Amino acid sequence: MRTGPPRAGETSATVDAVTEPRTEPRDDEAAELVDDLPVAAVMTALADPHLPAVVLDFVARRRIHSPETLRLVVHHPRVHDTTLRLLARCAPEGVCGAVARNQRRWLACPAIAEQLLRNPCCDRATAHAVLELGAREAVSVLAEMRSQTLAG
């Protein structure tokens, strides 16, 4: 594993390594590059609105313990629902709040909110707000979960 600042072109090399057809050495190279990139370089890459969903998913999985990175992934316009479900289920508390604030996405895909409510890191106030809005918006799975929660 290389240490120090990234060399010129490493950010685009990481994107290329992730989006090219899969071969074992390339997967390892991409993982190592993403792991070694400084947070600032990752943040710059995530600012690109045309970043493919597969890259966002890869970065989210490699940086699962980096809340600042995950918050950018959550609000990226091209992030896939599958990635949001993963983050909703296992991300730290601050990221749970970011997922909850992304109401448009979890109202369109209630499985995201359902996973968020199953995350032990999601605080009660956030979970309550999601349940209440889901019930108000007539999202059946959330209304049912709210009823079960109130029933004890």
Side-chain angles (χ1 to χ4, degrees):
M1 195 177 337
R2 195 179 67 73
T3 59
R7 293 183 289 257
E10 274 191 349
T11 302
S12 63
T14 302
V15 172
D16 292 343
V18 172
T19 57
E20 287 180 8
R22 292 184 172 231
T23 60
E24 300 231 0
R26 297 295 285 176
D27 284 349
D28 291 342
E29 289 174 31
E32 187 175 325
L33 281 170
V34 169
D35 291 345
D36 288 347
L37 283 174
V39 173
V42 174
M43 302 290 211
T44 300
L46 290 175
D48 179 358
H50 303 292
L51 203 60
V54 67
V55 175
L56 294 165
D57 185 73
F58 186 79
V59 169
R61 290 171 189 272
R62 297 303 300 180
R63 299 267 180 150
I64 197 69
H65 298 293
S66 174
E68 59 274 356
T69 301
L70 297 179
R71 279 192 286 274
L72 286 176
V73 171
V74 165
H75 292 293
H76 197 281
R78 297 192 66 183
V79 68
H80 195 274
D81 289 344
T82 305
T83 304
L84 288 176
R85 284 196 312 264
L86 166 77
L87 294 177
R89 180 68 179 112
C90 62
E93 184 178 345
V95 179
C96 290
V99 172
R101 285 186 297 280
N102 197 348
Q103 296 168 352
R104 179 185 56 81
R105 291 298 296 269
W106 63 257
L107 285 170
C109 179
I112 296 167
E114 186 177 4
Q115 291 302 311
L116 182 65
L117 296 171
R118 297 185 193 291
N119 185 336
C121 296
C122 184
D123 66 75
R124 286 184 173 181
T126 300
H128 180 75
V130 168
L131 282 174
E132 289 298 320
L133 181 60
R136 254 192 330 270
E137 294 291 325
V139 178
S140 60
V141 70
L142 297 176
E144 184 179 317
M145 288 180 81
R146 181 181 176 270
S147 297
Q148 290 172 353
T149 301
L150 293 175

Short mmCIF file of all heavy atoms in Angstrom, two decimals, residues 63-94:
data_model
loop_
_atom_site.label_atom_id
_atom_site.label_comp_id
_atom_site.label_asym_id
_atom_site.label_seq_id
_atom_site.Cartn_x
_atom_site.Cartn_y
_atom_site.Cartn_z
N ARG A 63 -15.45 3.15 2.10
CA ARG A 63 -15.33 4.23 3.09
C ARG A 63 -16.51 4.22 4.07
O ARG A 63 -16.97 5.27 4.51
CB ARG A 63 -15.28 5.58 2.37
CG ARG A 63 -14.12 5.75 1.43
CD ARG A 63 -12.99 6.42 2.15
NE ARG A 63 -11.84 6.61 1.29
CZ ARG A 63 -11.00 7.60 1.44
NH1 ARG A 63 -11.17 8.48 2.38
NH2 ARG A 63 -9.95 7.69 0.65
N ILE A 64 -16.99 3.04 4.44
CA ILE A 64 -18.19 2.91 5.27
C ILE A 64 -18.03 3.58 6.64
O ILE A 64 -19.03 3.95 7.26
CB ILE A 64 -18.61 1.42 5.40
CG1 ILE A 64 -20.05 1.30 5.89
CG2 ILE A 64 -17.66 0.65 6.30
CD1 ILE A 64 -21.08 1.73 4.92
N HIS A 65 -16.83 3.77 7.10
CA HIS A 65 -16.60 4.41 8.41
C HIS A 65 -16.16 5.87 8.27
O HIS A 65 -15.58 6.43 9.18
CB HIS A 65 -15.57 3.62 9.21
CG HIS A 65 -16.04 2.23 9.51
ND1 HIS A 65 -17.12 1.97 10.33
CD2 HIS A 65 -15.61 1.03 9.07
CE1 HIS A 65 -17.31 0.67 10.39
NE2 HIS A 65 -16.43 0.08 9.63
N SER A 66 -16.47 6.48 7.13
CA SER A 66 -16.11 7.87 6.88
C SER A 66 -17.39 8.70 6.68
O SER A 66 -17.86 8.85 5.55
CB SER A 66 -15.22 7.96 5.64
OG SER A 66 -14.97 9.30 5.31
N PRO A 67 -17.95 9.23 7.78
CA PRO A 67 -19.23 9.95 7.67
C PRO A 67 -19.23 11.09 6.66
O PRO A 67 -20.21 11.28 5.94
CB PRO A 67 -19.48 10.48 9.08
CG PRO A 67 -18.67 9.61 9.97
CD PRO A 67 -17.48 9.18 9.15
N GLU A 68 -18.14 11.84 6.59
CA GLU A 68 -18.12 12.97 5.65
C GLU A 68 -18.23 12.50 4.21
O GLU A 68 -18.89 13.12 3.39
CB GLU A 68 -16.90 13.87 5.86
CG GLU A 68 -15.56 13.19 5.71
CD GLU A 68 -15.05 12.51 6.98
OE1 GLU A 68 -15.67 12.59 8.02
OE2 GLU A 68 -13.99 11.86 6.89
N THR A 69 -17.61 11.38 3.89
CA THR A 69 -17.71 10.81 2.55
C THR A 69 -19.11 10.28 2.30
O THR A 69 -19.72 10.54 1.25
CB THR A 69 -16.68 9.67 2.37
OG1 THR A 69 -15.37 10.20 2.58
CG2 THR A 69 -16.77 9.05 1.00
N LEU A 70 -19.65 9.55 3.26
CA LEU A 70 -20.96 8.93 3.09
C LEU A 70 -22.08 9.96 2.95
O LEU A 70 -23.03 9.74 2.20
CB LEU A 70 -21.26 7.98 4.25
CG LEU A 70 -20.30 6.79 4.36
CD1 LEU A 70 -20.68 5.93 5.55
CD2 LEU A 70 -20.26 5.98 3.09
N ARG A 71 -21.97 11.08 3.64
CA ARG A 71 -23.00 12.12 3.50
C ARG A 71 -23.04 12.65 2.06
O ARG A 71 -24.12 12.93 1.53
CB ARG A 71 -22.76 13.25 4.50
CG ARG A 71 -23.30 12.93 5.89
CD ARG A 71 -23.31 14.14 6.79
NE ARG A 71 -21.99 14.52 7.24
CZ ARG A 71 -21.39 14.00 8.31
NH1 ARG A 71 -21.99 13.09 9.03
NH2 ARG A 71 -20.19 14.40 8.66
N LEU A 72 -21.89 12.76 1.42
CA LEU A 72 -21.87 13.20 0.01
C LEU A 72 -22.47 12.13 -0.90
O LEU A 72 -23.19 12.46 -1.84
CB LEU A 72 -20.44 13.51 -0.43
CG LEU A 72 -19.85 14.80 0.12
CD1 LEU A 72 -18.39 14.94 -0.31
CD2 LEU A 72 -20.64 16.00 -0.35
N VAL A 73 -22.18 10.88 -0.61
CA VAL A 73 -22.76 9.79 -1.41
C VAL A 73 -24.28 9.80 -1.28
O VAL A 73 -25.00 9.67 -2.27
CB VAL A 73 -22.18 8.42 -0.98
CG1 VAL A 73 -22.93 7.27 -1.65
CG2 VAL A 73 -20.69 8.34 -1.31
N VAL A 74 -24.79 9.97 -0.05
CA VAL A 74 -26.24 9.95 0.19
C VAL A 74 -26.96 11.00 -0.65
O VAL A 74 -28.04 10.74 -1.17
CB VAL A 74 -26.53 10.16 1.70
CG1 VAL A 74 -27.99 10.52 1.94
CG2 VAL A 74 -26.15 8.93 2.49
N HIS A 75 -26.37 12.17 -0.80
CA HIS A 75 -27.04 13.25 -1.52
C HIS A 75 -26.62 13.37 -2.99
O HIS A 75 -27.07 14.29 -3.67
CB HIS A 75 -26.81 14.58 -0.80
CG HIS A 75 -27.50 14.61 0.52
ND1 HIS A 75 -28.87 14.62 0.65
CD2 HIS A 75 -27.02 14.61 1.78
CE1 HIS A 75 -29.20 14.63 1.91
NE2 HIS A 75 -28.09 14.63 2.63
N HIS A 76 -25.80 12.45 -3.46
CA HIS A 76 -25.37 12.50 -4.87
C HIS A 76 -26.56 12.18 -5.77
O HIS A 76 -27.33 11.26 -5.50
CB HIS A 76 -24.23 11.50 -5.12
CG HIS A 76 -23.50 11.77 -6.37
ND1 HIS A 76 -23.99 11.40 -7.60
CD2 HIS A 76 -22.32 12.40 -6.61
CE1 HIS A 76 -23.14 11.77 -8.54
NE2 HIS A 76 -22.12 12.38 -7.96
N PRO A 77 -26.74 12.92 -6.86
CA PRO A 77 -27.91 12.70 -7.72
C PRO A 77 -27.94 11.34 -8.42
O PRO A 77 -29.02 10.88 -8.81
CB PRO A 77 -27.83 13.84 -8.75
CG PRO A 77 -26.42 14.32 -8.71
CD PRO A 77 -25.90 14.03 -7.33
N ARG A 78 -26.80 10.67 -8.55
CA ARG A 78 -26.78 9.40 -9.29
C ARG A 78 -26.66 8.17 -8.39
O ARG A 78 -26.52 7.06 -8.89
CB ARG A 78 -25.64 9.42 -10.30
CG ARG A 78 -25.91 10.53 -11.34
CD ARG A 78 -25.05 10.46 -12.51
NE ARG A 78 -25.33 9.26 -13.28
CZ ARG A 78 -24.65 8.92 -14.35
NH1 ARG A 78 -23.69 9.66 -14.76
NH2 ARG A 78 -24.95 7.82 -15.00
N VAL A 79 -26.74 8.36 -7.07
CA VAL A 79 -26.61 7.22 -6.17
C VAL A 79 -27.81 6.29 -6.36
O VAL A 79 -28.94 6.72 -6.55
CB VAL A 79 -26.47 7.67 -4.70
CG1 VAL A 79 -27.74 8.31 -4.17
CG2 VAL A 79 -26.06 6.51 -3.81
N HIS A 80 -27.53 5.00 -6.35
CA HIS A 80 -28.56 3.99 -6.59
C HIS A 80 -29.30 3.68 -5.28
O HIS A 80 -28.73 3.77 -4.20
CB HIS A 80 -27.90 2.72 -7.16
CG HIS A 80 -28.88 1.79 -7.75
ND1 HIS A 80 -29.55 0.84 -7.03
CD2 HIS A 80 -29.33 1.67 -9.02
CE1 HIS A 80 -30.36 0.17 -7.81
NE2 HIS A 80 -30.25 0.65 -9.04
N ASP A 81 -30.55 3.28 -5.39
CA ASP A 81 -31.34 2.91 -4.21
C ASP A 81 -30.69 1.79 -3.40
O ASP A 81 -30.77 1.77 -2.17
CB ASP A 81 -32.76 2.49 -4.61
CG ASP A 81 -33.60 3.66 -5.10
OD1 ASP A 81 -33.23 4.82 -4.85
OD2 ASP A 81 -34.64 3.39 -5.73
N THR A 82 -30.05 0.86 -4.08
CA THR A 82 -29.38 -0.25 -3.38
C THR A 82 -28.28 0.28 -2.46
O THR A 82 -28.12 -0.19 -1.33
CB THR A 82 -28.78 -1.24 -4.41
OG1 THR A 82 -29.81 -1.66 -5.28
CG2 THR A 82 -28.15 -2.42 -3.73
N THR A 83 -27.54 1.25 -2.92
CA THR A 83 -26.48 1.86 -2.10
C THR A 83 -27.10 2.59 -0.91
O THR A 83 -26.61 2.48 0.21
CB THR A 83 -25.63 2.83 -2.94
OG1 THR A 83 -25.11 2.12 -4.07
CG2 THR A 83 -24.49 3.41 -2.13
N LEU A 84 -28.19 3.30 -1.15
CA LEU A 84 -28.86 4.00 -0.05
C LEU A 84 -29.41 3.01 0.97
O LEU A 84 -29.37 3.28 2.17
CB LEU A 84 -29.96 4.91 -0.58
CG LEU A 84 -29.47 6.17 -1.30
CD1 LEU A 84 -30.65 6.95 -1.86
CD2 LEU A 84 -28.64 7.03 -0.37
N ARG A 85 -29.92 1.88 0.51
CA ARG A 85 -30.41 0.86 1.46
C ARG A 85 -29.26 0.34 2.31
O ARG A 85 -29.40 0.15 3.53
CB ARG A 85 -31.10 -0.28 0.73
CG ARG A 85 -32.49 0.08 0.25
CD ARG A 85 -33.33 -1.13 -0.13
NE ARG A 85 -32.68 -2.10 -0.98
CZ ARG A 85 -32.79 -2.13 -2.30
NH1 ARG A 85 -33.53 -1.24 -2.92
NH2 ARG A 85 -32.17 -3.05 -3.01
N LEU A 86 -28.12 0.10 1.70
CA LEU A 86 -26.94 -0.37 2.44
C LEU A 86 -26.54 0.67 3.49
O LEU A 86 -26.32 0.32 4.66
CB LEU A 86 -25.77 -0.62 1.49
CG LEU A 86 -24.41 -0.78 2.15
CD1 LEU A 86 -24.29 -2.17 2.76
CD2 LEU A 86 -23.29 -0.50 1.19
N LEU A 87 -26.44 1.92 3.08
CA LEU A 87 -26.03 2.96 4.02
C LEU A 87 -27.07 3.16 5.12
O LEU A 87 -26.71 3.36 6.28
CB LEU A 87 -25.79 4.27 3.27
CG LEU A 87 -24.61 4.25 2.31
CD1 LEU A 87 -24.50 5.57 1.57
CD2 LEU A 87 -23.32 3.92 3.03
N ALA A 88 -28.34 3.08 4.76
CA ALA A 88 -29.38 3.22 5.77
C ALA A 88 -29.28 2.13 6.83
O ALA A 88 -29.52 2.37 8.00
CB ALA A 88 -30.76 3.18 5.11
N ARG A 89 -28.87 0.95 6.43
CA ARG A 89 -28.82 -0.18 7.35
C ARG A 89 -27.59 -0.18 8.25
O ARG A 89 -27.66 -0.61 9.39
CB ARG A 89 -28.87 -1.50 6.56
CG ARG A 89 -28.81 -2.74 7.42
CD ARG A 89 -30.09 -2.86 8.25
NE ARG A 89 -30.07 -4.05 9.06
CZ ARG A 89 -29.99 -4.05 10.38
NH1 ARG A 89 -29.91 -2.92 11.04
NH2 ARG A 89 -29.98 -5.17 11.05
N CYS A 90 -26.45 0.30 7.76
CA CYS A 90 -25.22 0.08 8.55
C CYS A 90 -24.37 1.33 8.76
O CYS A 90 -23.29 1.23 9.34
CB CYS A 90 -24.39 -1.02 7.93
SG CYS A 90 -23.83 -0.70 6.27
N ALA A 91 -24.83 2.49 8.35
CA ALA A 91 -24.02 3.70 8.49
C ALA A 91 -24.10 4.26 9.92
O ALA A 91 -25.04 3.98 10.65
CB ALA A 91 -24.48 4.75 7.49
N PRO A 92 -23.11 5.07 10.31
CA PRO A 92 -23.13 5.69 11.63
C PRO A 92 -24.24 6.75 11.75
O PRO A 92 -24.85 7.15 10.76
CB PRO A 92 -21.74 6.32 11.76
CG PRO A 92 -21.18 6.38 10.40
CD PRO A 92 -21.89 5.37 9.57
N GLU A 93 -24.47 7.23 12.97
CA GLU A 93 -25.60 8.10 13.30
C GLU A 93 -25.72 9.33 12.40
O GLU A 93 -26.80 9.65 11.91
CB GLU A 93 -25.50 8.54 14.76
CG GLU A 93 -26.67 9.38 15.21
CD GLU A 93 -26.58 9.77 16.67
OE1 GLU A 93 -25.78 9.18 17.41
OE2 GLU A 93 -27.31 10.69 17.05
N GLY A 94 -24.64 10.07 12.19
CA GLY A 94 -24.70 11.28 11.37
C GLY A 94 -25.15 11.00 9.95
O GLY A 94 -25.84 11.82 9.33
#
